[in-house]
Amino acid sequence: MSFEPDTLVYNEAGLIPAIAQDSETGEVLMMAWMNAESVRRTLESGRVTYWSRSRQAFWVKGESSGHVQELVEFRFDCDKDCVLVTVRQTGPACHTNRRSCFYTAVRDGEEVELMAPEH
Amino acid sequence: MSFEPDTLVYNEAGLIPAIAQDSETGEVLMMAWMNAESVRRTLESGRVTYWSRSRQAFWVKGESSGHVQELVEFRFDCDKDCVLVTVRQTGPACHTNRRSCFYTAVRDGEEVELMAPEH
């Protein structure tokens, strides 16, 4: 069955959450948002392309930082309302220069920092 | 620093996306939503507890199906607007009886089913 980006389920702002996972380590790197055109561009270009809610613009991940995400596989879930992209991540995924945005854990009620910024 | 569920960033409906990842295999299992009270209950009980948008009720994962998620680690991202729970998943995570909700990939423009329902 041929895939049509418009058949995914977008929220009232026309967006769908997209989880990026490292294709080799399995690490969850970040979550950001896509619209139908971001989905289309991601699939066509092989460069993961989000929609920046703050800038209200397409966001080719790494376009300014060089920390690009090369698409390995594009998946969506049973309800078609969430995307999972497995990627080859160049450099850190997080804008804080950490490998993953999920660098804070809660242990025994305390916030614990799991990784330091890369240099 | 002590963690307060209210310091996470919730959307206009009071919800935050929560990604569940298998703590052993690294597989991304599902994405659902939590409110501040779900976050509190998840941390206190060790049973991952979402907020069901369709039922408008707390959803202790596996409460009816038995496919529970035992919390291994609770993390949140740099913007505090997304949660990642690593879990020990009993049985399939997906309501279709598949291990993960992300069982459909897009390859060469075609939808490809990656895994079958478990029995």
Side-chain angles (χ1 to χ4, degrees):
Chain A
M1 184 174 149
S2 141
F3 172 71
E4 285 300 329
D6 293 337
T7 63
L8 294 177
V9 177
Y10 301 89
N11 69 12
E12 60 293 332
L15 302 175
I16 188 168
I19 303 160
Q21 180 181 33
D22 188 296
S23 64
E24 280 160 35
T25 65
E27 190 172 17
V28 175
L29 300 171
M30 59 182 283
M31 194 284 280
W33 298 80
M34 292 187 178
N35 58 18
E37 180 60 21
S38 312
V39 169
R40 206 168 283 118
R41 292 185 185 195
T42 296
L43 286 167
E44 283 176 8
S45 68
R47 281 283 177 89
V48 179
T49 304
Y50 303 101
W51 177 257
S52 166
R53 295 178 303 172
S54 56
R55 291 189 292 111
Q56 288 285 301
F58 291 103
W59 168 27
V60 182
K61 172 69 181 162
E63 200 172 35
S64 54
S65 65
H67 301 155
V68 296
Q69 294 180 334
E70 183 191 340
L71 181 68
V72 174
E73 188 153 79
F74 186 98
R75 297 186 198 169
F76 54 83
D77 75 350
C78 51
D79 296 329
K80 303 191 88 165
D81 63 0
C82 188
V83 163
L84 174 67
V85 285
T86 65
V87 305
R88 269 186 284 273
Q89 172 72 52
T90 300
C94 184
H95 75 287
T96 67
N97 252 20
R98 290 172 176 87
R99 179 77 190 152
S100 162
C101 294
F102 296 94
Y103 58 82
T104 312
V106 178
R107 293 179 181 165
D108 299 324
E110 296 292 316
E111 297 187 9
V112 177
E113 194 176 304
L114 302 175
M115 61 195 94
E118 298 179 5
H119 297 290
Chain B
M1 183 175 154
S2 140
F3 172 71
E4 286 300 330
D6 294 337
T7 62
L8 294 178
V9 177
Y10 301 89
N11 69 13
E12 59 293 333
L15 301 175
I16 188 168
I19 303 160
Q21 181 182 32
D22 188 296
S23 64
E24 280 159 35
T25 65
E27 190 172 17
V28 175
L29 299 171
M30 59 182 282
M31 195 283 280
W33 298 81
M34 291 186 178
N35 59 19
E37 180 61 20
S38 312
V39 169
R40 206 169 282 117
R41 294 185 183 195
T42 296
L43 286 166
E44 283 175 10
S45 67
R47 281 284 176 90
V48 179
T49 303
Y50 303 100
W51 177 258
S52 166
R53 296 179 301 172
S54 55
R55 291 189 291 111
Q56 289 286 302
F58 291 104
W59 167 27
V60 183
K61 173 67 181 164
E63 201 172 33
S64 56
S65 66
H67 301 155
V68 297
Q69 294 180 335
E70 184 191 340
L71 181 68
V72 174
E73 188 154 79
F74 185 99
R75 298 186 195 169
F76 54 83
D77 74 350
C78 50
D79 295 330
K80 302 190 91 167
D81 63 1
C82 188
V83 163
L84 174 67
V85 285
T86 66
V87 304
R88 270 186 282 272
Q89 171 71 53
T90 299
C94 184
H95 76 288
T96 66
N97 251 20
R98 290 172 176 86
R99 180 77 190 152
S100 161
C101 294
F102 295 94
Y103 58 82
T104 312
V106 178
R107 294 180 180 165
D108 299 324
E110 298 291 316
E111 296 186 9
V112 177
E113 195 177 301
L114 302 175
M115 61 195 93
E118 297 178 6
H119 298 291

